[in-house]
Amino acid sequence: MERLAGRVAVVTGAGSGIGLATARRLRAEGASVVCVDVDEDSGKAAAAEVAGEFVACDVTDEAAVRDLFDGVAARHGRVDVAFNNAGISPPDDDSILVTGLEAWERVLRVNTTSVYLCCKYAIPHMQRQGKGSIINTASFVALMGAATSQIAYTASKGGVLALSRELGVQFAREGIRVNALCPGPVATPMLMELFAKDPERAARRLVHVPMGRFAQPEEIAAAVAFLASDDASFVTASQFVVDGGITGAYVTPL
Ligand SMILES: NC(=O)c1ccc[n+]([C@@H]2O[C@H](COP(=O)([O-])OP(=O)(O)OC[C@H]3O[C@@H](n4cnc5c(N)ncnc54)[C@H](O)[C@@H]3O)[C@@H](O)[C@H]2O)c1
């Protein structure tokens, strides 16, 4: 189904993981995809694969983000979809007792300030069109607490959730939908490598997932494609949970 034929979609963090799977899926749905990443090699490879455009951009840089969306609008005539997805989860973000202010500020800047900037510079184009869909990547940790803390990451995703909800409400009557995507843990190569080295750590997490497994990036991409498309025409200001049942679980099956 080509639900996005003729649409222009911007994907940040398109070089890897959820962003890459989503660039592929949006292309398969007929969109022209602008692949954005700070990592030039992976971003270019993603763009080549989806026959799209690559824009090198650090999403924490205000001038670069403004140029990104203004440039896409100038070159393609429109900005229909913004998937604001780039994010980090660095090892020096841990318990509040050991996480320093530098790590805290870095994570907040990449994960939350970037979403503020991308929305700020995408929305005026969507206002002109009278239509647009913004999907901001939050996380299930925006909804639940964990004893295995990454305190800055959790706070950063809570911020993404709250700002997405408010923007969804503010711009609802202008045809702009804004949703926060809350994925559960995804089986990215990095996570799988970490858990292969430490099976006890993996088991400690999997016990909380009713489905008993992590998500594939393609399963998250499918949700983004839905939110991007007119099939989601009455969905805005939502916390769109794609988590294998984690947030609904008290006790999980053996
Ligand atoms: N993987 C998971 O289990 C999981 C679960 C919930 C939410 N998320 C969120 O999903 C999003 C994508 O995660 P992923 O697992 O695909 O990560 P990933 O590390 O595989 O990909 C992230 C991409 O973002 C890019 N990036 C990082 N900082 C950037 C910056 N300043 N400017 C531009 N690009 C930048 C990286 O180069 C990379 O290509 C993140 O926001 C993450 O927090 C991931």
Side-chain angles (χ1 to χ4, degrees):
M1 243 194 337
E2 293 217 338
R3 292 180 294 183
L4 301 173
R7 310 263 171 100
V8 177
V10 176
V11 176
T12 73
S16 173
I18 295 171
L20 177 58
T22 302
R24 288 174 179 145
R25 177 64 190 256
L26 298 185
R27 176 65 190 154
E29 297 267 5
S32 298
V33 183
V34 178
C35 294
V36 180
D37 210 291
V38 73
D39 184 287
E40 299 219 0
D41 291 343
S42 63
K44 275 183 188 159
E49 197 187 316
V50 301
E53 183 189 14
F54 169 63
V55 179
C57 174
D58 177 344
V59 290
T60 67
D61 176 338
E62 178 165 15
V65 172
R66 190 191 55 222
D67 291 351
L68 163 67
F69 286 101
D70 289 356
V72 169
R75 290 189 300 279
H76 298 269
R78 41 195 311 112
V79 180
D80 296 293
V81 177
F83 180 39
N84 302 320
N85 163 76
I88 56 169
S89 169
D92 56 348
D93 176 22
D94 199 286
S95 159
I96 194 169
L97 300 176
V98 299
T99 302
L101 187 58
E102 189 279 325
W104 167 268
E105 287 180 340
R106 174 164 27 93
V107 170
L108 267 287
R109 196 166 172 84
V110 178
N111 289 4
T112 316
T113 306
S114 70
V115 174
Y116 148 79
L117 289 173
C118 287
C119 292
K120 185 178 179 71
Y121 291 108
I123 286 171
H125 298 293
M126 294 176 172
Q127 282 182 305
R128 263 194 301 281
Q129 297 158 193
K131 185 167 177 163
S133 173
I134 295 178
I135 302 107
N136 296 324
T137 306
S139 167
F140 72 106
V141 301
L143 304 167
M144 316 176 73
T148 51
S149 184
Q150 288 184 288
I151 193 62
Y153 183 87
T154 297
S156 75
K157 295 302 187 180
V160 170
L161 190 64
L163 93 82
S164 304
R165 183 168 50 222
E166 187 139 302
L167 296 177
V169 172
Q170 184 182 354
F171 295 102
R173 295 187 185 193
E174 296 187 55
I176 302 170
R177 295 182 295 104
V178 185
N179 290 288
L181 180 74
C182 296
V186 178
T188 53
M190 210 174 67
L191 195 72
M192 289 301 98
E193 207 175 292
L194 193 76
F195 289 156
K197 279 194 214 129
D198 191 348
E200 198 253 308
R201 202 166 157 175
R204 185 160 177 200
R205 281 166 175 73
L206 279 179
V207 77
H208 297 288
V209 190
M211 287 196 179
R213 65 175 179 84
F214 297 135
Q216 293 301 315
E218 292 74 20
E219 295 177 300
I220 309 301
V224 181
F226 166 71
L227 290 171
S229 78
D230 294 345
D231 280 349
S233 54
F234 204 55
V235 183
T236 198
S238 79
Q239 42 194 54
F240 201 88
V241 176
V242 187
D243 72 346
I246 298 172
T247 52
Y250 171 43
V251 174
T252 60
L254 288 172

